[in-house]
Amino acid sequence: AYERKCRYFCRKTNSVVVSVGYRLAPEHPYPAQFEDCLTATIHFLRTAQDHGVDPSRVVICGDSSGGTLTAAVAQALVNRRDLPKLRAQILIYPFLQCVDLNLPSYQQNKGVPILLKERTLVLGLKYINLDLGIIEEVFKGCHVSEDRRLKYQKWVSPDYIPHEFKTRGYKPSPTYLPSKELCEMVESVFDPVFSPLLAEDSVIAQLPETFILTCEFDVLRDDGLLYKKRLEDHGIKVTWCHLQEGFHGTV
């Protein structure tokens, strides 16, 4: 599925392109995928010159769940003093958080193919090997404890989505009480490897220059908008491209 895209990027940017054949879930449980991408990135940073590449100009890129992995790898490398710094990261309609699945983009695009609202959560739960029977409770937000809700509301909130993205319709969601059992069961969805938007400020502040692509007709649109805001709040240079007619998978 990606060979033609990679060849296209290679031709158009006159770059060396390395596509990581990371192991796939559910046969290989999370976080094997992240570990494979991190291992490949570290190896390439160390051996870039063997491929005729300037190690100070390495950019990592991914789309959809690949965008999640890209963001997580960039975060994992911020404190590595033994490696060249990444030049930039490119996030193409990434999945970045599992705190609020009722943001405006989730409400507006819940039935837009290919990434339906329910399919997003089904794929996410399968990825971390959780029971699909909890879907309705997670959509209600019952998986977020009061402590987490207070912590994350400064990063994940419809209040930070610009008004023009709410004009197609948005209704604030009712607040449901958290379920202690559910909160403990889904702890892994708050790990920044799974939800990079939830990384601490000390990590976000060290990230490289970033390109973010969002699509209007995509449940993940607002994840990109929220990450853009967090990066810019910390002085990270962000180039943002929004496809007004775009949908998830448009690449």
Side-chain angles (χ1 to χ4, degrees):
Y2 279 84
E3 172 135 355
R4 286 181 63 195
K5 292 179 192 68
C6 290
R7 288 178 180 275
Y8 178 84
F9 289 143
C10 191
R11 269 200 321 274
K12 290 288 183 180
T13 63
N14 192 28
S15 303
V16 171
V17 173
V18 178
S19 182
V20 182
Y22 58 84
R23 289 168 293 170
L24 301 177
E27 295 81 0
H28 299 281
Y30 163 90
Q33 300 69 25
F34 163 73
E35 288 162 357
D36 287 355
C37 291
L38 181 61
T39 301
T41 306
I42 290 170
H43 176 73
F44 189 74
L45 285 167
R46 285 183 173 145
T47 61
Q49 286 171 318
D50 299 349
H51 304 280
V53 172
D54 177 346
S56 70
R57 296 182 64 188
V58 175
V59 176
I60 57 174
C61 170
D63 73 311
S64 195
S65 56
T68 317
L69 292 166
T70 300
V73 166
Q75 291 178 3
L77 293 174
V78 295
N79 290 315
R80 292 290 296 256
R81 301 286 171 254
D82 57 324
L83 295 167
K85 288 278 183 210
L86 289 172
R87 172 65 186 85
Q89 60 174 343
I90 296 172
L91 310 177
I92 300 173
Y93 39 72
F95 170 93
L96 297 170
Q97 60 84 31
C98 197
V99 174
D100 187 346
L101 300 172
N102 288 298
L103 291 168
S105 61
Y106 270 101
Q107 290 189 17
Q108 294 161 3
N109 303 308
K110 63 185 179 188
V112 177
I114 57 173
L115 195 61
L116 312 177
K117 176 176 171 173
E118 189 162 314
R119 180 176 291 168
T120 308
L121 190 52
V122 166
L123 292 172
L125 294 176
K126 282 188 172 179
Y127 178 40
I128 46 177
N129 205 19
L130 287 175
D131 178 15
L132 299 184
I134 64 175
I135 284 180
E136 285 311 312
E137 296 297 290
V138 173
F139 279 143
K140 288 178 180 174
C142 301
H143 63 303
V144 187
S145 67
E146 275 308 317
D147 289 352
R148 287 192 194 276
R149 202 183 298 277
L150 285 170
K151 178 179 180 178
Y152 297 148
Q153 68 185 12
K154 62 182 183 286
W155 302 331
V156 184
S157 166
D159 297 345
Y160 302 136
I161 304 299
H163 176 71
E164 65 263 31
F165 294 102
K166 297 175 182 171
T167 54
R168 286 201 290 125
Y170 168 66
K171 201 167 66 179
S173 304
T175 304
Y176 293 91
L177 286 173
S179 152
K180 188 168 185 291
E181 185 188 3
L182 184 60
C183 291
E184 289 169 2
M185 190 192 304
V186 305
E187 187 117 359
S188 51
V189 307
F190 304 113
D191 183 337
V193 168
F194 186 85
S195 292
L197 185 55
L198 307 182
E200 296 298 329
D201 287 339
S202 57
V203 172
I204 299 288
Q206 299 182 73
L207 286 168
E209 185 175 344
T210 302
F211 176 95
I212 297 177
L213 182 133
T214 53
C215 293
E216 179 59 31
F217 299 99
D218 180 7
V219 289
L220 302 183
R221 179 195 70 202
D222 294 351
D223 283 22
L225 296 177
L226 291 171
Y227 205 47
K228 171 181 179 284
K229 180 184 187 303
R230 274 206 79 191
L231 292 166
E232 289 176 337
D233 285 350
H234 286 277
I236 308 299
K237 186 180 176 194
V238 178
T239 302
W240 172 52
C241 172
H242 181 65
L243 301 182
Q244 199 58 52
E245 304 290 314
F247 54 89
H248 196 85
T250 204
V251 147

